[in-house]
Amino acid sequence: MEIVPNFSLKKYNTFGIEAKAKQFVAIHSIQDLTTVLQENKTQQKFILGGGSNMLLTKDIDALVIHIDLKGKKILEENEDFVWVRSQAGENWHEFVLWTIDQNFGGLENMSLIPGNVGTTPVQNIGAYGTEIKDTFVSCEAMTVANQEIKIFTKDECHFGYRESVFKNEIKNQYIITSVVFKLTKKNHKINTSYGDISAELTKNNITNPTLKDVSNAVITIRQSKLPDPAALGNSGSFFKNPILLKSDFEKIYKKFPEMKYFDISETEVKVPAGWLIEQAGFKGKRFGDAGIHKNQALVLVNYGHATGQEILNVSKDIQDTIFKIFGIHIEAEVNVI
């Protein structure tokens, strides 16, 4: 375990932004993590997972601790369910594929989401009608201040739409080291109602889809819309879909009756941010090496040498324009550093 000074983070963030860490260390065990935290108590610290949900706009004047804990294990099972624990440094998509290979159901709609397992509860990641909270049981986390281990139950995580206690009340106080999921072994709840999944299955003449069929459909859809970060720097969806009170939405809808929306409760409506951005004329636009992807307006991209600040400026321009046109504020999903 070596602490390296003046370390390039370009390969450690999916936007491919060149930024330096004052110091950097990769963690491969709980003992490593304990030691680093104990020996660097007074140091500013920055916890890094898969680097998939952040935009670096400057160098990080801190000790960057890269959580690279590996391993997965079946903790318990019965006829119907299995409880699986994954270490925080496991690649999320590879973990999802592993669960599908075991015929464990619940994560298939979240195939191909970039990042690592440890950061999934922080954001309560989700896609195509499912979220982490649907299968989440608990996570283990280490307290930064005193290295105590705490188990957070689902209720204690205060999950919301792309929200959790780790983004809010206890931000930067804990480091998630592993996550436990409860998955189905039979009678899987196949969810094909959201987005283009059913259309993709129909195209392939699949009428009774398996977990693998749903996963493959999601992968195909995502690949058609979202660029591979290895080829074109990006962080997936940059913005959250705004949620509006129906009373507010109805006033806007009178002006824009073509607006797409989804009812999410008796009092709230979700509007696709991608639709708003596309209507505002940003889809496919480029500002130097920063831009908006041609196939999915929710995705901001780095065409090679964009700085984080340039990408942030584009995002602010989009937010301002959407508000001027529609009176709707769209919020960044990506963490801006």
Side-chain angles (χ1 to χ4, degrees):
M1 185 180 60
E2 181 188 7
I3 294 179
V4 184
N6 198 32
F7 187 87
S8 172
L9 296 172
K10 186 169 185 177
K11 292 181 180 177
Y12 289 82
N13 71 98
T14 59
F15 261 117
I17 300 292
E18 181 54 83
K20 293 281 200 320
K22 181 181 178 182
Q23 291 179 304
F24 176 93
V25 63
I27 298 298
H28 305 293
S29 70
I30 296 296
Q31 186 55 55
D32 281 353
L33 183 57
T34 303
T35 302
V36 164
L37 292 175
Q38 285 177 345
E39 293 180 355
N40 297 274
K41 281 188 183 289
T42 59
Q43 272 266 58
Q44 280 284 104
K45 299 169 193 72
F46 181 91
I47 309 307
L48 177 64
S52 64
N53 196 51
M54 67 178 190
L55 176 65
L56 294 173
T57 61
K58 58 188 176 186
D59 291 339
I60 298 182
D61 186 24
L63 170 60
V64 173
I65 302 174
H66 175 47
I67 305 302
D68 197 28
L69 302 168
K70 301 292 188 186
K72 45 194 179 288
K73 182 180 180 182
I74 294 171
L75 297 178
E76 182 187 342
E77 59 185 310
N78 58 32
E79 279 187 27
D80 299 307
F81 299 100
V82 60
W83 286 257
V84 178
R85 179 170 63 208
S86 170
Q87 297 299 311
E90 287 287 334
N91 175 273
W92 172 254
H93 178 58
E94 289 174 11
F95 174 63
V96 171
L97 294 184
W98 177 81
T99 65
I100 292 166
D101 285 343
Q102 314 297 311
N103 195 35
F104 300 157
L107 305 180
E108 58 281 352
N109 288 49
M110 293 183 283
S111 298
L112 210 63
I113 292 179
N116 291 349
V117 171
T119 48
T120 60
V122 178
Q123 195 73 3
N124 184 25
I125 66 165
Y128 298 101
T130 62
E131 291 180 317
I132 279 297
K133 67 178 178 62
D134 301 330
T135 51
F136 179 94
V137 175
S138 64
C139 65
E140 190 174 275
M142 184 179 286
T143 315
V144 174
N146 60 16
Q147 295 76 61
E148 287 183 359
I149 297 293
K150 175 173 167 57
I151 305 294
F152 285 86
T153 63
K154 180 176 171 177
D155 286 345
E156 289 172 321
C157 288
H158 299 174
F159 288 128
Y161 173 53
R162 303 295 174 270
E163 291 288 349
S164 75
V165 69
F166 301 105
K167 279 185 77 174
N168 298 296
E169 300 98 306
I170 57 170
K171 186 175 181 179
N172 299 329
Q173 294 178 35
Y174 291 87
I175 299 169
I176 295 172
T177 56
S178 65
V179 186
V180 177
F181 300 93
K182 180 183 178 183
L183 306 174
T184 53
K185 289 175 65 177
K186 60 182 184 182
N187 301 322
H188 303 305
K189 293 177 181 174
I190 302 290
N191 181 354
T192 63
S193 61
Y194 199 95
D196 305 319
I197 297 178
S198 57
E200 184 64 29
L201 293 169
T202 301
K203 193 169 81 178
N204 291 295
N205 298 314
I206 296 169
T207 53
N208 191 23
T210 63
L211 300 175
K212 188 70 173 171
D213 291 332
V214 173
S215 173
N216 287 341
V218 168
I219 290 169
T220 300
I221 295 162
R222 288 184 74 92
Q223 286 177 333
S224 72
K225 292 180 177 180
L226 305 173
D228 178 356
L232 185 62
N234 75 92
S235 196
S237 298
F238 196 92
F239 298 101
K240 296 180 185 180
N241 293 319
I243 294 172
L244 309 176
L245 288 172
K246 278 192 177 175
S247 54
D248 294 333
F249 172 74
E250 281 161 6
K251 294 170 192 168
I252 299 168
Y253 191 67
K254 281 180 183 174
K255 292 185 192 173
F256 304 97
E258 70 283 8
M259 184 176 287
K260 309 280 189 201
Y261 68 95
F262 305 95
D263 287 321
I264 59 169
S265 73
E266 288 184 9
T267 58
E268 293 178 317
V269 166
K270 184 187 288 184
V271 176
W275 185 88
L276 296 170
I277 296 165
E278 192 170 341
Q279 297 306 303
F282 282 99
K283 187 176 180 180
K285 277 187 111 172
R286 183 168 174 168
F287 305 85
D289 266 6
I292 300 90
H293 195 247
K294 61 181 182 177
N295 294 339
Q296 173 52 272
L298 264 183
V299 178
L300 304 192
V301 295
N302 175 8
Y303 283 104
H305 300 286
T307 65
Q309 189 61 52
E310 286 168 343
I311 292 169
L312 181 61
N313 290 344
V314 170
S315 76
K316 288 179 174 176
D317 188 16
I318 290 170
Q319 288 173 313
D320 291 346
T321 305
I322 297 296
F323 190 76
K324 281 175 189 167
I325 296 172
F326 299 104
I328 295 174
H329 175 67
I330 58 170
E331 189 180 338
E333 182 174 325
V334 168
N335 295 307
V336 177
I337 310 300

